[in-house]
């Protein structure tokens, strides 16, 4: 058996901070694209389409990133289960950051024709591939170092990365959108957030280069030869339930942070800066509540918190779209905030919950594939479906509210079929008590 490197409580904040830094960088990359897709990519890369169809096409390229994420989970999960969690953090950050910087360099359709959207599609695919490996590596390295009674709390720190990355991406977009004319923003301003990704990426790589490997991984004597095949054989039902359970959280988050931008600016004539401010304010308020909700997960269990969040989502989606349709900044903010608070209740504990469901020998693959398949079901489709649903509807997008309510009920049912894992220990090689096998 390998020697297990001792990890003191004092080292956990540093490890969690390094995981958070890289996760924030990678989600910054991902959200910068989503915001650009909502605001500007349609006319630049699909100019022959109508404005609405151009936005749909831009959201389709956004969705490609989600389709690539499960494949990234398989590739980087294989690396994480065979070679360690730490190499995943470095490789995924490099791939995502390089792809993001390259997006900012792609010429528009007017310059190179159809090659422009093709390049955009390819780079978006590579972005998703890298992000598909990021979450599993960052979360596992933290959760496998953490003490049993505080796994949800410590693993919730990397979960702050999406909120921080979103704030950074949209903050840069807001500053550029406010400080530049529409013509300047469309010509070159939208590219700046992609180029700027180089700076935090270098900082994230520096922080992650000195991290210790997970002690749980070092305890494993018999590594899975092909982790994905083992997951398919023994944990496929668990993966599918996890994907369905997480799909509503993705759907709600991207409805608020991506689809609402295009809906309000195109259908309600709300300015870009007002919408970006509303969304950023809602994300800013909900972010500090992630560790607080994770503490509840450590005390009362993972599944009860997740089911409560899904029920809250189901109840709030119709009020949210009615508030959004008012076009009033304060009311739109309140509608989006309520949705994000329900979202936080679920996603604050899934970083501990998913790894606890899988054996350590396939944990990096199983947890990441389940997490990112949920992204395909919820994140990839929601902006496209929601944009299509409002084309022939009235001012209030009730169809979008109904769609999101249905997603929340689907996730609620999946969580009801998953086992509780708290306060069972995370073993090195044996499955957790009550784990579901396909």
């Amino acid at each position: 058996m390998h020697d297990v490197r001792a990890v003191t409580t004092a080292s956990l904040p540093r490890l969690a901070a390094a995981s958070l830094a890289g996760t924030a960088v990678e989600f910054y990359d991902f959200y910068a694209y989503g915001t650009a897709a909502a605001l500007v990519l349609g006319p630049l890369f699909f100019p022959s389409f109508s404005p609405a169809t151009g936005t749909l096409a831009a959201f389709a390229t956004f969705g490609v990133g989600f389709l690539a994420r499960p494949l990234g989970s398989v590739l980087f999960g294989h690396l994480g289960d065979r070679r360690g969690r730490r190499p995943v953090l470095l490789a995924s950050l490099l791939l995502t950051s390089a792809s993001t910087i390259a997006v900012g360099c792609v010429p528009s359709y007017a310059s190179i024709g159809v090659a422009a959207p093709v390049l955009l599609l390819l780079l978006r695919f590579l972005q998703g591939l890298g992000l598909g490996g990021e979450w599993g590596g960052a979360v596992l390295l933290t959760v496998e170092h953490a003490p049993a009674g505080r796994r949800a709390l410590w693993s919730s720190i990397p979960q702050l990365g999406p909120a921080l990355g979103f704030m950074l991406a949209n903050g840069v977009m807001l500053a550029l959108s406010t400080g530049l004319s529409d013509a300047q923003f469309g010509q070159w301003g939208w590219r700046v957030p992609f180029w700027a990704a180089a700076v935090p990426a270098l900082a994230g790589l520096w922080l992650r280069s000195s991290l210790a490997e997970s002690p749980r991984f070092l305890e494993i004597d018999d590594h899975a030869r092909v982790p994905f095949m083992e997951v398919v054989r023994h944990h496929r039902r668990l993966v599918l339930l996890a994907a369905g359970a997480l799909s509503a959280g993705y759907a709600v988050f991207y409805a608020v942070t991506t689809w609402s931008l295009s809906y309000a600016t195109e259908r309600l004539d709300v300015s870009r800066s007002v919408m970006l401010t509303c969304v950023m304010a809602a994300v800013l308020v909900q972010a500090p509540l992630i560790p607080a909700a994770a503490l509840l997960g450590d005390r009362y269990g993972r599944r009860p918190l997740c089911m409560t969040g899904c029920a809250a989502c189901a109840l709030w989606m119709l009020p949210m779209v009615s508030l959004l349709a008012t076009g009033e900044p304060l009311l739109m903010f309140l509608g989006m905030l309520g949705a994000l608070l329900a979202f936080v209740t679920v996603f604050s504990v899934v970083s501990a919950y998913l790894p606890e469901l899988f054996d350590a020998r396939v944990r990096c693959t199983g947890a990441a594939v389940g997490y990112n398949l949920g992204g395909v079901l919820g994140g990839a489709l929601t902006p496209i479906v929601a944009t299509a649903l409002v084309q022939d509807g009235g001012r209030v997008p009730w169809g979008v509210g109904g769609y999101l309510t249905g997603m929340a009920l689907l996730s609620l049912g999946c969580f009801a079929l998953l086992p509780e894992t708290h306060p069972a220990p995370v073993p090195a090689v044996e499955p957790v008590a009550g784990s579901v096998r396909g």
Side-chain angles (χ1 to χ4, degrees):
M1 180 176 290
H2 299 282
D3 291 332
V4 178
R5 193 168 182 175
V7 179
T8 64
T9 303
S11 71
L12 274 170
R14 181 175 176 276
L15 187 149
S19 296
L20 168 62
T23 304
V25 171
E26 296 208 45
F27 276 92
Y28 166 91
D29 299 345
F30 208 72
Y31 294 143
Y33 190 98
T35 304
L39 298 179
V40 74
L41 294 187
L44 287 176
F45 289 89
F46 305 95
S48 61
F49 295 167
S50 68
T53 307
T55 299
L56 275 172
F59 278 147
T61 63
F62 177 69
V64 166
F66 281 99
L67 295 177
R69 284 172 65 168
L71 180 57
S73 300
V74 174
L75 296 176
F76 286 101
H78 185 92
L79 176 64
D81 286 324
R82 293 283 299 170
R83 303 297 179 188
R85 321 310 192 197
R86 183 176 170 272
V88 172
L89 296 184
L90 298 173
S92 62
L93 181 55
L94 275 171
L95 178 59
T96 308
S97 300
S99 305
T100 299
I101 296 166
V103 168
C105 301
V106 177
S108 67
Y109 187 95
S111 299
I112 60 172
V114 73
V118 171
L119 284 173
L120 200 65
L121 200 67
L122 174 62
L123 291 171
R124 182 59 179 169
F125 182 86
L126 294 176
Q127 258 193 334
L129 205 66
L131 193 60
E134 161 63 27
W135 183 86
V139 162
L140 282 190
L141 201 61
T142 306
V143 77
E144 290 184 339
H145 276 99
R150 286 292 182 264
R151 280 198 299 267
L153 174 63
W154 283 109
S155 64
S156 73
I157 304 302
Q159 290 292 79
L160 290 168
L164 183 56
F166 179 85
M167 293 297 295
L168 289 172
N170 282 269
V172 174
M173 284 286 189
L174 177 60
L176 291 166
S177 182
T178 304
L180 300 175
S181 67
D182 287 345
Q184 290 172 323
F185 185 78
Q187 288 170 1
W188 58 268
W190 69 272
R191 299 180 184 273
V192 173
F194 296 95
W195 296 335
V199 176
L202 290 173
L205 287 170
W206 176 74
L207 281 170
R208 289 183 165 189
S209 62
S210 60
L211 292 181
E213 184 52 79
S214 160
R216 295 292 181 185
F217 175 79
L218 296 175
E219 289 174 355
I220 302 171
D221 285 323
D222 182 24
H223 296 281
R225 292 188 63 186
V226 185
F228 178 67
M229 295 308 300
E230 189 164 319
V231 167
V232 170
R233 283 196 300 268
H234 301 299
H235 299 283
R236 58 183 176 275
R237 181 171 180 265
L238 189 58
V239 168
L240 293 175
L241 284 175
L246 297 180
S247 61
Y250 275 106
V252 169
F253 188 82
Y254 285 100
V256 169
T257 61
T258 300
W259 166 76
S260 69
L261 292 176
S262 65
Y263 167 73
T265 54
E266 294 175 8
R267 303 276 295 190
L268 307 179
D269 292 325
V270 178
S271 71
R272 281 198 306 259
S273 58
V274 168
M275 274 309 297
L276 286 170
T277 301
C278 288
V279 176
M280 287 175 63
V283 173
L284 181 63
V285 172
Q286 61 92 30
L289 299 178
I290 293 175
L295 279 172
L296 294 176
D298 275 326
R299 180 164 185 178
Y300 299 109
R302 317 324 188 190
R303 194 174 65 160
L305 212 63
C306 292
M307 294 181 69
T308 299
C310 288
C313 284
L315 294 172
W316 186 247
M317 291 303 98
L318 293 177
M320 182 196 77
V321 296
S322 65
L323 290 170
L324 186 63
T326 65
E328 295 293 330
L330 179 59
L331 295 179
M332 291 191 296
F333 162 75
L334 292 175
M336 292 185 286
L337 178 61
L340 291 181
L341 292 179
F343 159 83
V344 161
T345 307
V346 177
F347 271 65
S348 61
V349 295
V350 295
S351 51
Y353 193 17
L354 261 65
E356 289 170 345
L357 290 168
F358 293 92
D359 307 353
R361 56 187 274 120
V362 296
R363 186 174 293 148
C364 195
T365 301
V369 169
Y371 185 84
N372 287 297
L373 277 177
V376 174
L377 294 174
L381 296 178
T382 294
I384 300 171
V385 172
T387 300
L389 285 173
V390 300
Q391 295 308 306
D392 300 318
R395 182 178 176 87
V396 180
W398 296 117
V400 177
Y403 169 76
L404 294 173
T405 300
M407 292 293 292
L409 293 175
L410 169 67
S411 290
L412 182 63
C414 289
F415 274 121
L417 295 174
L418 284 170
E420 178 59 82
T421 58
H422 177 75
V426 175
V429 260
E430 295 301 322
V432 295
S435 84
V436 181
R437 290 186 177 272

